[in-house]
Amino acid sequence: MNRLTLTNQVCFPLYALSRQVTAHYRPLLEQLDLTYPQYLVMLLLWETDNQSVSAIGDRLLLDSGTLTPLLKRLEQKELVSRTRNMADERQVSIQLTDTGRALREQAATVPEQLQQRLQLTDQQAISLRDQLVTLLNQLTNE
Amino acid sequence: MNRLTLTNQVCFPLYALSRQVTAHYRPLLEQLDLTYPQYLVMLLLWETDNQSVSAIGDRLLLDSGTLTPLLKRLEQKELVSRTRNMADERQVSIQLTDTGRALREQAATVPEQLQQRLQLTDQQAISLRDQLVTLLNQLTNE
DNA sequence: GTTTATTTAATTGTACACAATTTAATTGTA
DNA sequence: TACAATTAAATTGTGTACAATTAAATAAAC
């Protein structure tokens, strides 16, 4: 097998599918005035409010170079507040505003709407997710 | 199940894994002075030389807004040439230079090196790839 | 055959990603 | 306690992504 072709590599389908799935999120998230990475940050904060930039970065595998401007945009939309941590002035605490918390209800239907758009059964979705998570853990715990 | 969490969605593992895998390519591609998307374009051209911008875009699912500046960078590195198609002046033909063709040999070991880095067996890689490709085709043939 | 519609790249503007560096705060250590 | 090492964000710079628009060439319709 000639591996030096597009379709014979794992990475291209991964790269292309990731972008296609994000594209399917886009019209749904547009209604919330969120980009996909912004949505991921909001998901994290809805789960656990009041996290530092690096704590968010650890979960999303993003650094401050990406997160700082992104968080400033969420702040401009008044979805989060950014305040220096009193106990450790190096850290910046990200907290949901009332508007940010309220957005959660509007976002509640996004996952099922997406699954419909992707035409995935629960089984397919869970199976694929588990495989991806396994490989992801393999790569990040090195 | 509460779907409105990070790990319970298919898309985040896909997004994160794609970036992690690309990160594993990076040190290998750095030796070729290529970014990952640039590498994808080179893979296409090594397979079939002399393609239009839109033909490349159809395969990679990228538009001219992404490809035009990327191809100009490949041109600056003297890996490709960009010339208006004589038969249809709207199109720009992308052709490998001698340097571009020669790079193929240096790139030959990238796939196996990557597979080693990812610690994937052939079976795992093929199985995952096939699932991703199936879903990708599902999403793009709509 | 001219006008209209479509196609192809390029351009403009916004928002990630990420490497590398900088700045400030905290921790560890002699 | 000073001082070096580490940590956390921010900053700077490059390179994608992608929506929206523009400009030029070709195709289609009348």
Side-chain angles (χ1 to χ4, degrees):
Chain A
M1 181 177 84
N2 176 18
R3 285 190 204 283
L4 208 59
T5 61
L6 203 57
T7 45
N8 287 340
Q9 302 210 19
V10 182
C11 193
F12 172 68
L14 197 55
Y15 157 82
L17 183 59
S18 172
R19 287 192 297 112
Q20 289 304 299
V21 171
T22 303
H24 276 77
Y25 268 101
R26 204 163 291 124
L28 305 178
L29 297 181
E30 213 161 271
Q31 294 172 245
L32 310 180
D33 190 27
L34 290 177
T35 64
Y36 182 67
Q38 289 169 9
Y39 170 66
L40 292 179
V41 170
M42 294 303 288
L43 276 183
L44 266 189
L45 294 173
W46 287 327
E47 227 181 302
T48 311
D49 197 0
N50 193 22
Q51 298 194 54
S52 69
V53 174
S54 57
I56 294 171
D58 286 347
R59 290 291 301 279
L60 301 185
L61 308 175
L62 292 171
D63 66 11
S64 64
T66 302
L67 285 175
T68 297
L70 186 156
L71 292 167
K72 284 183 180 171
R73 285 189 276 273
L74 288 181
E75 189 183 35
Q76 278 186 336
K77 296 181 201 176
E78 298 185 359
L79 296 174
V80 306
S81 65
R82 298 162 61 249
T83 51
R84 285 276 162 192
N85 189 325
M86 303 257 257
D88 185 342
E89 290 276 348
R90 288 173 303 183
Q91 296 187 21
V92 169
S93 292
I94 309 299
Q95 276 181 283
L96 289 170
T97 61
D98 288 344
T99 317
R101 255 184 302 278
L103 194 65
R104 184 180 194 167
E105 276 154 58
Q106 266 191 271
T109 59
V110 168
E112 52 176 319
Q113 279 186 273
L114 189 86
Q115 195 171 331
Q116 272 193 335
R117 285 186 70 110
L118 298 188
Q119 302 262 47
L120 275 179
T121 64
D122 278 13
Q123 269 68 34
Q124 281 180 301
I126 291 168
S127 157
L128 179 59
R129 187 197 65 196
D130 288 350
Q131 277 188 79
L132 295 172
V133 168
T134 302
L135 190 46
L136 185 59
N137 288 336
Q138 212 166 294
L139 293 189
T140 48
N141 300 336
E142 273 176 3
Chain B
M1 182 177 85
N2 176 18
R3 288 190 201 283
L4 209 57
T5 61
L6 202 57
T7 46
N8 286 342
Q9 301 210 21
V10 182
C11 193
F12 172 68
L14 195 59
Y15 158 83
L17 184 59
S18 171
R19 285 170 35 241
Q20 290 304 298
V21 170
T22 303
H24 277 78
Y25 267 101
R26 206 164 288 122
L28 305 177
L29 297 182
E30 215 162 87
Q31 294 171 243
L32 310 179
D33 189 27
L34 290 177
T35 65
Y36 181 67
Q38 288 168 9
Y39 170 66
L40 292 180
V41 170
M42 294 303 289
L43 276 182
L44 266 189
L45 293 173
W46 287 328
E47 226 181 303
T48 311
D49 197 0
N50 194 22
Q51 297 194 54
S52 69
V53 174
S54 56
I56 294 171
D58 286 346
R59 291 292 300 280
L60 301 184
L61 306 177
L62 293 170
D63 66 12
S64 64
T66 302
L67 286 175
T68 297
L70 186 157
L71 291 167
K72 283 182 180 172
R73 285 183 205 103
L74 289 181
E75 188 183 36
Q76 278 185 336
K77 297 181 200 175
E78 297 185 2
L79 295 174
V80 305
S81 65
R82 300 163 60 246
T83 51
R84 284 278 161 191
N85 190 324
M86 303 256 257
D88 184 343
E89 290 277 348
R90 288 172 303 183
Q91 296 186 22
V92 169
S93 292
I94 309 299
Q95 277 180 282
L96 290 169
T97 62
D98 288 345
T99 318
R101 256 185 301 278
L103 194 66
R104 184 180 193 165
E105 277 153 56
Q106 267 191 269
T109 61
V110 168
E112 53 177 318
Q113 280 185 271
L114 189 87
Q115 196 171 330
Q116 272 191 334
R117 286 186 68 110
L118 299 189
Q119 303 262 47
L120 275 178
T121 64
D122 277 15
Q123 270 69 32
Q124 281 181 301
I126 292 169
S127 157
L128 179 59
R129 186 197 66 196
D130 287 351
Q131 277 187 75
L132 296 172
V133 168
T134 302
L135 191 46
L136 184 59
N137 287 335
Q138 213 167 295
L139 293 189
T140 48
N141 298 335
E142 275 174 3

